[in-house]
Amino acid sequence: MGSVLTMTVLAACLVWQVTVAQTARRWLSHSDRVTTSLDLLQKLIDDQETSLRGYQLTGDPQMLDPFKAANNRIEPLFGSLHQAIADNPKQSAGLTLMQERYERWLAFAQKMLTENPAGLRDPQLNEQGKILMDQVRAAAFELQSREAALRRQRYDDAQREERRTLRFISLGGPLAGLLLGLFMVMRLRAVSRAYSRSAAELEHRAQELHTGREWLQTTLESIGDAVIACDSEGNVDFLNAVAQKLTGWTATEAKGKPLTTVFHIVNEETRAVCENPVDKVRRLNTVVGLANHTVLISKDGREYVIDDSASPIRGDDDRMLGVVLVFRDVTELRRTEAALLANEKLAIAGRLAASIAHEIHNPLDSIANLLYLIKDEKNSAKSAEYLGFAQQELDRVMQISRTMLSLYREPSSPAELDLRELLESVLLLLDRRLAEQHIVLVRDFPERVIIQGFPGELRQVLTNVIVNAAEASGAHGRIAIRLESVPPEEFRGAGAVIEVRDSGAGIEEGAAASLFQPFFTTKGERGTGLGLWVSLGIVQKHGGTMRIMNSTAPDYPGALVRIFLPTRTMATSMRRNKALKAGPE
């Protein structure tokens, strides 16, 4: 550190000394330029005087050409000299005196040329002009003498500074070389020590990387999900034990093979080959997931319903080095979900059974009473009237029975249905329940709305929503149901909107995000937590949306359920069957 500081001081002194020497040289050059300009100025003035004398002797006007030419150059030369010696007040004053004397002589000469040319031969006038010119030369001599003295002084200063610089270099050079040598030796030793430390650190890091690689390998082999890593070309580089089990390929067999050979996936419904995840990651340049209902066909022909994601592997420069797939076998999960859906459907049927029993029991009681009256009635007109009443009650029983059966008798493909009639049939089944709770029901079905869909599934959705509204409203509550058709929008086709509002307490803060999660319920032990999850799945399979929020209507401060169903459904018979097995997406 001391050597570096000493070298820095020496370098600074050398720079300072060289700067001083250069400054002295510049001042010397400045004096030379001023001297040269003064000599030129004196020469031009002498040329003017000589030209005037020649004209005086010969009377030839051409003899005045040098006089005129010099006159055009003298004025700018005085100006440049004033700027050059502005830093020296004494010289500047001398130059001003010389210029004033010259201007007096010039005025005298021009006056003689214009007013009295004959006077040029007058001895007295010539003597007067000579006196004025001698004064100009005296002022010029003073200027030149002082500038010459300045130049000698500046020359001596420049020589002295150059000698001092040479002495400094001759003495400081060896010292600087010695210090530089010492500094280089110390730096080489420091580099050697740093190299030794770096080598030890690199060895330590290599050992850590080896240990980390082994640990990562063990971790990937031990996790419960299947993992496949590919290079940037889509060739398999690694499979963990779970991936080997599901694909049927060993790590050695799969190494270097294209992913599509080892990871053969098709659509569960159409059996069409799915897009290569590596190609999809390259195209989207982000994390991607498989489409729903993706099936992995292993090497031995076994099929697994899987759920997975593919992510790019990036280097430090953000360049994609490969792709990693993480997937799991969800076959059993799908079966469990299907069982839950079946149980929920049975639960809905059970909840409806009580209402239907009441609905059927009352008409049957009336029919029994009417038959009893008919048996003892002698009046045929009265008997016919009783038979008409019995027929009406029997028709009501049959209507309720057909509505109940239609819940599970679905067509093989979507059918056109009237949502107003569908809502009326659901309300018919729930009429007894709503009446027992003294719930005020407001219908707003101004028009018939025709859409495509599976009526049994949509009845299930509407039943869930209306029953939830009734339970939230409680005794003497209010429910409003509105149905309207909606025109197509920018990102959505035409369809229908069903809104159900209730007068309950609304949705608690924090519960809205979990309403459509399976097994989440706000009803305690009375709820299964599957109704809304199933309903959302059915609506989504029809290509619609379902939202739940708090209502802002004053008379219905509770929840607002808004269901959109497109006019042309996305559901198919195969898609519908898969929806019943898989639940919501």
Side-chain angles (χ1 to χ4, degrees), residues 480-553:
I481 304 175
R482 186 174 69 88
L483 167 67
E484 69 171 348
S485 59
V486 292
E489 296 180 359
E490 183 176 0
F491 299 105
R492 188 185 71 185
V497 168
I498 301 171
E499 290 185 350
V500 179
R501 301 175 190 264
D502 62 64
S503 60
I507 304 169
E508 296 181 0
E509 185 176 357
S514 304
L515 288 176
F516 292 109
Q517 297 296 323
F519 304 112
F520 177 82
T521 180
T522 59
K523 302 176 185 177
E525 295 182 356
R526 296 184 297 108
T528 64
L530 295 173
L532 289 176
W533 177 59
V534 171
S535 300
L536 176 62
I538 293 172
V539 171
Q540 287 180 342
K541 299 311 173 184
H542 280 74
T545 58
M546 183 175 181
R547 296 175 58 199
I548 302 179
M549 65 204 81
N550 282 322
S551 173
T552 57

Side-chain angles (χ1 to χ4, degrees), residues 46 54 66 104 128 166 269 286 298 316 339 356 372 428 434 585:
D46 289 342
R104 283 199 295 271
Q128 183 180 353
L166 289 174
E269 299 176 359
T286 186
S298 68
D316 294 337
I356 293 170
Y372 176 79
L428 174 65
L434 298 177
E585 297 176 357

